[in-house]
Amino acid sequence: MVTQIRKTKSEERILSAAAELFYANGLRGVGVDQVIAASGVAKSTLYVHFRTKEELVAAYLRRTDDSWTAQLQAAAAGDDPREQLVGLFDALTDAFDRHGFFGCPFVSAAVEADLDSEARAVTVQHTRRRHAWLTELSVRAGAAAPDALARHIGLLIDGALTSGRLLQDRAVVEEAKSAARLLVAAHT
């Protein structure tokens, strides 16, 4: 039991340190030694949990997928699916206010990761998962073409995060939210 608690705490420290470093500096901009130093664990402890950097990156992306999906869903509160499709953009504003715009970790990973890597596979899985959720909301909103509306909203999310990173201007999120409102109205 003590070993499991220690393992869980060490793994959490490693993933938290990796998340901060990868998000701010990119996947290729961070070495394993930096994660070890930031997490305060021994090299052997890191390798007990993650045999390779690729495993660490994939775990970071899976954790980020769960966290980001939860943030989007929480921002999409309310009973009206049309408002949920617009309200989810508040998660982007909240993310910007918390730590500035370093962009979308999934877009960054997709740019940096090899096409056959686990990181890219997790990124594609995230995008498909988000699309399925947006499609479900679009169906509930009464969209004539729910798949198309979901794709458009997904593009607005990705575009806002990417432009936010480039311009360092949170106004892009408000512009994307306004565009989402117009799209939802046009599709429903």
Side-chain angles (χ1 to χ4, degrees), residues 95-163:
F96 182 84
D97 291 343
R98 262 194 319 279
H99 42 64
F101 257 6
F102 291 105
C104 176
F106 301 101
V107 171
S108 297
V111 168
E112 292 188 61
D114 293 332
L115 292 176
D116 61 347
S117 69
E118 189 174 1
R120 184 168 187 289
V122 173
T123 299
V124 169
Q125 181 182 15
H126 161 76
T127 303
R128 288 181 177 149
R129 179 180 175 192
R130 183 188 70 189
H131 180 75
W133 173 64
L134 292 172
T135 301
E136 176 188 319
L137 280 178
S138 298
V139 167
R140 291 190 3 239
D147 188 64
L149 177 57
R151 277 195 321 272
H152 294 154
I153 297 291
L155 287 169
L156 285 173
I157 292 168
D158 293 340
L161 289 170
T162 303
S163 291

